[in-house]
Amino acid sequence: MNGIKGLGLGFSEASWRLHSLCLLLALGSFVWGYNVGVLASVLAHPGFRETIPGYGPYRRGLITAIYYLGTWLSYVFFSRPAADLLGRRYAAMVGMSVLCVGQALQASASGLVALSMVIFGRIVSGLGTGIVSTSVPLYQSEIAPAKQRGKLVVLNHVGFVAGLASGFWVGYAITFWNDTHGYQSGWRLSVSLSFIPATLFLLGIPFLYESPRWLVEHGRADEALKALQFYREGAFTPSQIQDELTDIKRNVSAYQATSLKKWTSLFTNPSLFSRLWRAALLHFMAQMCGATAMKYYLPELFRVLGLSPRVSLLAGGIESTLKIGCTVLEMFVIDRVGRRVTLAVGAGIMAFALLINGALPLAYPNNTNRVADYTCVVFIFIYSLGYSMGFGPAAWVYGSEIFPTAARARGLSFAASGGAVGSIIVSQLWPIGIAELGSKIYFFFMAVNLVCVPIIFLLYPETKGRPLEDMEVLFGGYEGRTPSTTSLLLADERDDGDEDEDDEDERPGRPLLGDGRDVAR
């Protein structure tokens, strides 16, 4: 089993293809992130506030939270059927089209029905986002080699934070358009600019190969082989590509021979349910850590610390731009140190940053100490570092890789709905909490992050470097499951340097990745 040094890691032609195509796919998350980032400036725009009758903290919270009702509905009812029936690519296209309809409704809101148009547009955008945000990481995880999967799925989150930063910078630029026309139309232009990357995404997606795992599941093995060759050629030998296809066929056939294709199997099958509740809880924690508030209410938080409206948007742009660098760094870390370490360290960093932001305003109230205020600003940036190197990307990586092919779209969609629930809670809780409790609200989210650390280490098995077809080793699966050929190759590569090991260690079928008896429940 020699000759696979650097398996899947070299920058061959196929590797360049993978990275280029994942950059194109990241445009989908860019649009999602842009719409989140630009809303923060829209909510603070005087023209928008005048357009919405009776605008205040409760309506601001409603406009923010109602979007996540749309994403929750999408995750539970629409994103899975779209990804499984249409394929990962065309599901992403449908989702992006729906998202654009929602943005158009928001941008055209006016008159007595302005609030209704914004709310309905937010729901529609949420429906589209739910499909895009699941189909894209599904596609990325299913075309990526095991050793690069974390990095390539994190690239999706790079697109999100790049869009987030762009939304803040556009909002900051719009503040300079301060004549009458800018007052009335500036926020509408901000929302409408998302159509540019959305159009590029829609034009590029049809030229990609479909996911080989989806093709095998739908009886199109010849097309699946072509797709694998396209994504592996030069980094893997023809026999290794064929072995991977064989593993995929075996995995899909085994699950199709059972009743696990029914959506209820996620709740009735112990192996699938052990994955579902972990992924859903992870997405829920990723929002309850306070991230939703930091994304939508960041300019408001900076204003409380004494920054002017324009400088608050500038600071938001800088903070979101720093997230890009942190997430890129996470790309090169997550496949080395693993998912659990990045999640736990990120939660610890966020907890400490929230402690500082809760304590200093209590010690120096009413902006009486500028050093304390600026320290809080710095620690908001540090909070972003923790999120961008932890929950932000890792929750999507983990959720997209632990389910079998037959249940992957369904599992990730239900899991992501946990994040939507968390976002609804936080987007409603934060503005009211700030108004009623002031900086004490930070202590609640600090406690959430602290609780997350032991949960991660105690309940979440590590998945780094493991082929998708071998997740049964961690979570259990159908009877008679043995490690895949790909996993044996990877394990052999790790052991290849130990020349003096006994020959019996080389026998095929040994439990290199565990025998599946001590699986997570």
Side-chain angles (χ1 to χ4, degrees), residues 464-476:
K464 71 167 183 173
R466 209 175 277 277
L468 293 177
E469 282 66 47
D470 273 332
M471 292 300 167
E472 286 79 13
V473 175
L474 295 176
F475 300 99

Side-chain angles (χ1 to χ4, degrees), residues 210-272:
E210 185 51 82
S211 158
R213 287 167 172 84
W214 184 87
L215 291 169
V216 168
E217 189 180 9
H218 287 76
R220 296 157 63 177
D222 290 341
E223 294 177 57
L225 179 59
K226 290 179 182 179
L228 277 176
Q229 289 171 339
F230 182 77
Y231 293 125
R232 302 288 188 268
E233 192 174 14
F236 291 76
T237 67
S239 63
Q240 290 165 356
I241 296 172
Q242 189 63 53
D243 285 340
E244 184 175 1
L245 180 62
T246 300
D247 289 336
I248 295 170
K249 288 179 178 178
R250 181 173 62 174
N251 181 272
V252 170
S253 297
Y255 276 96
Q256 286 181 333
T258 69
S259 61
L260 300 185
K261 289 199 71 174
K262 297 178 180 178
W263 72 269
T264 54
S265 64
L266 286 171
F267 302 93
T268 59
N269 179 270
S271 172
L272 294 184

Side-chain angles (χ1 to χ4, degrees), residues 3-294:
I4 61 167
K5 295 294 185 185
L7 187 65
L9 290 175
F11 276 86
S12 61
E13 183 179 350
S15 185
W16 282 112
R17 287 174 186 166
L18 274 171
H19 285 79
S20 299
L21 294 176
C22 284
L23 280 172
L24 171 62
L25 291 166
L27 277 176
S29 291
F30 180 94
V31 176
W32 174 22
Y34 177 86
N35 290 336
V36 171
V38 83
L39 183 69
S41 65
V42 168
L43 291 174
H45 194 281
F48 177 79
R49 294 186 172 201
E50 185 178 279
T51 300
I52 304 300
Y55 186 83
Y58 288 93
R59 292 205 168 180
R60 182 165 68 245
L62 173 63
I63 291 169
T64 304
I66 203 69
Y67 170 81
Y68 291 102
L69 173 62
T71 60
W72 182 85
L73 291 171
S74 183
Y75 290 142
V76 174
F77 297 109
F78 303 116
S79 59
R80 192 282 305 171
D84 279 347
L85 297 177
L86 302 177
R88 310 331 188 194
R89 295 179 307 155
Y90 290 114
M93 292 181 66
V94 169
M96 184 61 71
S97 300
V98 172
L99 193 159
C100 288
V101 171
Q103 292 301 104
L105 285 169
Q106 294 173 67
S108 58
S110 61
L112 296 176
V113 295
L115 178 61
S116 299
M117 290 182 69
V118 169
I119 288 175
F120 186 63
R122 292 280 290 164
I123 293 173
V124 173
S125 291
L127 291 171
T129 298
I131 298 173
V132 173
S133 63
T134 51
S135 58
V136 168
L138 275 175
Y139 185 89
Q140 289 171 317
S141 70
E142 291 182 345
I143 66 174
K147 282 191 172 182
Q148 291 181 296
R149 189 173 59 246
K151 177 172 67 173
L152 292 174
V153 178
V154 169
L155 190 57
N156 180 57
H157 195 73
V158 173
F160 175 82
V161 294
L164 191 70
S166 299
F168 273 107
W169 285 117
V170 167
Y172 173 68
I174 290 295
T175 63
F176 292 95
W177 188 14
N178 50 17
D179 59 14
T180 303
H181 198 58
Y183 182 85
Q184 295 174 344
S185 304
W187 69 270
R188 301 180 193 276
L189 176 63
S190 299
V191 174
S192 301
L193 287 176
S194 63
F195 296 136
I196 297 174
T199 301
L200 295 175
F201 181 82
L202 291 170
L203 290 175
I205 287 293
F207 295 99
L208 305 184
Y209 280 90
E210 185 51 82
S211 158
R213 287 167 172 84
W214 184 87
L215 291 169
V216 168
E217 189 180 9
H218 287 76
R220 296 157 63 177
D222 290 341
E223 294 177 57
L225 179 59
K226 290 179 182 179
L228 277 176
Q229 289 171 339
F230 182 77
Y231 293 125
R232 302 288 188 268
E233 192 174 14
F236 291 76
T237 67
S239 63
Q240 290 165 356
I241 296 172
Q242 189 63 53
D243 285 340
E244 184 175 1
L245 180 62
T246 300
D247 289 336
I248 295 170
K249 288 179 178 178
R250 181 173 62 174
N251 181 272
V252 170
S253 297
Y255 276 96
Q256 286 181 333
T258 69
S259 61
L260 300 185
K261 289 199 71 174
K262 297 178 180 178
W263 72 269
T264 54
S265 64
L266 286 171
F267 302 93
T268 59
N269 179 270
S271 172
L272 294 184
F273 185 67
S274 72
R275 309 174 203 215
L276 177 64
W277 72 256
R278 284 178 172 85
L281 177 60
L282 192 60
H283 278 273
F284 181 73
M285 293 190 298
Q287 300 308 319
M288 288 302 296
C289 69
T292 300
M294 291 293 184

